[in-house]
Amino acid sequence: MSSSSSCLDDEDTFKILVATDIHLGFMEKDAVRGNDSFSTFDEILRLAQDNEVDFLLLGGDLFHDNKPSRRTLHICLEQLRKYCMGDRPIEFEVLSDQSVNFGYSKFPWVNYQDNNLNISLPVFSVHGNHDDPTGADALCALDILSCAGLVNHFGRATSVEKIDISPVLLQKGRSKIALYGLGSIPDERLYRMFVNKQVMMLRPREDESSWFNLFVIHQNRSKHGPTNYIPEQFLDDFLDLIIWGHEHECKINPTRNEQQLFYVSQPGSSVATSLSPGEAEKKHVGLLRIKGKKMNMQKIPLQTVRQFFIEDLVLSDYPDIFNPDNPKVTQEIESFCIEKVEAMLDTAERERLGNARQPDKPLIRLRVDYTGGFEPFNTLRFSQKFVDRTANPKDIIHFFRHKEQKDKKDNITINFGKLDSKPLFEGSTLRVEDLVKEYFKTAEKNVQLSLLTERGMGEAVQEFVDKEEKDALEELVKFQLEKTQRFLKERQIDAEEDKIDEEVRKFRETRKTNTNEEEEEVREAMIRARAHRSQTADIDMSDDDELMRKVSGPLSDDEDIGASMPARGRGRGRGRGGRGQTTTTRGTSRRGRGSAGADQPSSGRASKAAGKNMSILDAFKPSSRQPTARNMPKKTYSEDIEDDDSDIEEVSFTPSSFVESRRTSSTSTSYSRKSSQSQAAKGHFLDDDDDEDEFDPFKKSAPSRRGRR
């Protein structure tokens, strides 16, 4: 630490180590790169300990996978316990209502105030898009760390209708920080909520100008679509510094937004998760010092990050060397690429000298644009030359070319050449939802959606792919089918197919224009899918318990063990000991679990199979055959029906646990809903001492802090 920096450290100065996008567990099964994320996280924690920071601030995506492996969780817990527990006293205190800041936790208080823990390095973190809450209980990996008392998870929004961001109020000496946080939310949804004024940042009522307002966000910063990002202008202008996660390119030096007059710091990722130019920038973490309304960000380069070099080669730029008509041009291109890769390896070797902590095999990427009649060579044969010298021998070379635009005389409605103008690996944000929308835009009429919307289908497919919600599509179809049936019954439509189709089409168009309602439908379908998964898991466990109870009984000497054991198969045939013929046989259908007799009500997967045979015409059958609520599986949903002027029934389902857990987070005695202030008191870089008088508006209500051991 430099002497100029150390002289700034006093009893009024906050010292915060800032990092984002650590991605623990990235490529953990790779023999060469498997430990990269763990080594860098260990270095970050060591830097926090060596610099004696007040706390470590993480900007999301601590884990790479939504459901990290046991190995990843074990290493993370091991490292946090190694560096975060100890006897060093905590020199700042929390002044805000912690039941509001951490209300969704079973332990709603900061971990260093827990009498059962001895924390020397508090960690505050928001969740990212890789480790966001999912499942029936809306849990994420950070909740496990929070329950263990190793991480303070904050900035979690519990409502999709309105977001009130309550800051964690911290004080050290005469310096006070209002720490705001917002975990990852789908960009399009959050964009719309900002436009509709549904995001409110609460401010302390007392002495607003004395607080340094620090905001941690994990969203797209660069524009990837009309609404698939969050403009900086959406954020309140009373903020002083924004820590922006999710973007992997390191731009940690604070840059000033001249319109909002706040600073934005983008720390970037600590491990390269894609072979794109943004990942090739040197990786850093930031040591942030805050004193009063002044700040200073010190860049600290990471020493354990694997080197990454990337270059572009456009063959058409070398007409004197490469001639497409030359029969040996492919061999010449390959030889030229070998020279390029060798040059990058030499550069890596020179830069690695003197740093024993850096991995010895670098990442190398050579992007070759072969537009102009050239042909690519065999990349597998090429990679064999560098197996022992690079960390990514299989994808060193990437060939791409720009497709030429079609003539106007060809009746082509979509120009796919624009899609191929940039390689997909370069941080492309083309999502499954976009592919679904693009498909239905160009699909023929006979394969167009008639009941669902493209947006709803796209989000359901996204949940299926990203979060492994296997029932997402089915629950969305069932939910929308039920709603459409109720709509048709209320309208008293004649049982004629043409009229039904017309009403369904109108109903679908109405939903497409009402984006809020459509988003609520998708969200409700996802909740139902998660609840169904939990029910199925409970049924499977009860079946297994019953099986063990039956099997554990003693057998008589004359009993055939093979005949007495319940069959555990799918019942596809009569072989293997007469499977499926005893009284304890599990399942009479191919996928059924548990035999349902004539007197037993069906449950679990049996009811799931029955739901697949529903149709619009079922709404016009006698009531005895209609799938009413009495015949549906029992689920914990509370139903709210609101009628508007359009005679369309709007039904929203909300899990009872979710309704009960919603808290009134507006603490009127401590916060005000003002969104902006005069710019006269804006924060600036820390360069001298602050002579402000001590003023503690929370002196009487500050929670008592336990004594240190």
Side-chain angles (χ1 to χ4, degrees), residues 6 144 256 427 464 598 619 709:
S6 60
I144 299 177
R256 183 179 175 87
F464 175 81
R709 288 198 286 257

Side-chain angles (χ1 to χ4, degrees), residues 20 30 117 172 194 282 305 314 433 466 535 555 623 627:
T20 65
D30 187 273
L117 302 173
K172 180 181 180 181
F194 270 113
K282 300 299 182 183
V305 176
V314 181
E433 304 165 67
D466 289 348
Q535 283 188 344
L555 297 177
S623 58

Side-chain angles (χ1 to χ4, degrees), residues 4 26 49 69 135 158 160 173 182 196 211 237 353 374 422 436 490 539 623 664 683:
S4 60
F26 173 71
Q49 187 181 72
S69 66
T158 57
V160 298
L182 183 61
N196 296 333
W211 295 88
D237 56 3
L353 293 176
F374 299 97
K422 190 175 183 180
V436 172
E490 291 292 330
I539 293 173
S623 58
T664 57

Side-chain angles (χ1 to χ4, degrees), residues 35 370 489 530 571 629:
N35 290 322
Y370 66 103
K489 290 170 65 177
R530 294 161 188 161

Side-chain angles (χ1 to χ4, degrees), residues 127-316:
H127 64 261
N129 59 307
H130 280 259
D131 50 13
D132 58 329
T134 58
D137 297 323
L139 295 175
C140 64
L142 283 182
D143 292 321
I144 299 177
L145 304 182
S146 175
C147 186
L150 297 173
V151 169
N152 300 296
H153 180 200
F154 74 108
R156 179 169 173 175
T158 57
S159 173
V160 298
E161 299 175 356
K162 185 176 178 57
I163 299 177
D164 288 335
I165 306 177
S166 299
V168 181
L169 301 180
L170 311 174
Q171 182 170 8
K172 180 181 180 181
R174 292 181 296 173
S175 298
K176 295 182 290 186
I177 296 179
L179 178 60
Y180 296 86
L182 183 61
S184 177
I185 296 176
D187 291 291
E188 294 179 347
R189 178 192 302 169
L190 185 59
Y191 186 101
R192 185 169 58 253
M193 296 183 74
F194 270 113
V195 171
N196 296 333
K197 308 297 183 183
Q198 295 175 319
V199 180
M200 186 67 65
M201 304 187 76
L202 308 181
R203 302 189 63 185
R205 287 185 180 275
E206 297 84 357
D207 201 10
E208 294 178 347
S209 60
S210 65
W211 295 88
F212 185 92
N213 300 290
L214 176 62
F215 183 35
V216 184
I217 186 173
H218 190 98
Q219 303 291 152
N220 278 334
R221 185 183 180 191
S222 56
K223 186 175 182 179
H224 298 286
T227 60
N228 196 19
Y229 76 114
I230 303 300
E232 295 179 7
Q233 286 71 22
F234 281 3
L235 306 181
D236 288 289
D237 56 3
F238 71 83
L239 296 171
D240 297 301
L241 177 63
I242 314 296
I243 302 298
W244 207 298
H246 184 63
E247 300 288 353
H248 282 207
E249 183 177 359
C250 183
K251 298 179 180 178
I252 199 167
N253 286 330
T255 57
R256 183 179 175 87
N257 184 302
E258 297 300 334
Q259 180 176 345
Q260 300 297 94
L261 301 181
F262 51 57
Y263 288 88
V264 180
S265 174
Q266 181 178 302
S269 66
S270 60
V271 61
T273 60
S274 65
L275 301 178
S276 60
E279 296 279 16
E281 297 293 330
K282 300 299 182 183
K283 306 292 186 182
H284 297 81
V285 293
L287 182 56
L288 175 64
R289 292 178 172 86
I290 297 175
K291 183 176 182 180
K293 295 288 289 185
K294 303 173 185 177
M295 68 175 179
N296 173 269
M297 179 74 78
Q298 176 186 348
K299 292 173 57 176
I300 302 178
L302 294 172
Q303 303 297 326
T304 58
V305 176
R306 188 178 297 275
Q307 294 172 293
F308 176 32
F309 297 91
I310 184 171
E311 286 189 15
D312 291 332
L313 174 60
V314 181
L315 299 181
S316 59

Side-chain angles (χ1 to χ4, degrees), residues 93 95 171 206 694-704:
E93 57 182 340
L95 305 180
Q171 182 170 8
E206 297 84 357
E694 180 178 359
F695 182 77
D696 185 2
F698 295 92
K699 188 171 183 180
K700 295 182 179 180
S701 59
S704 60

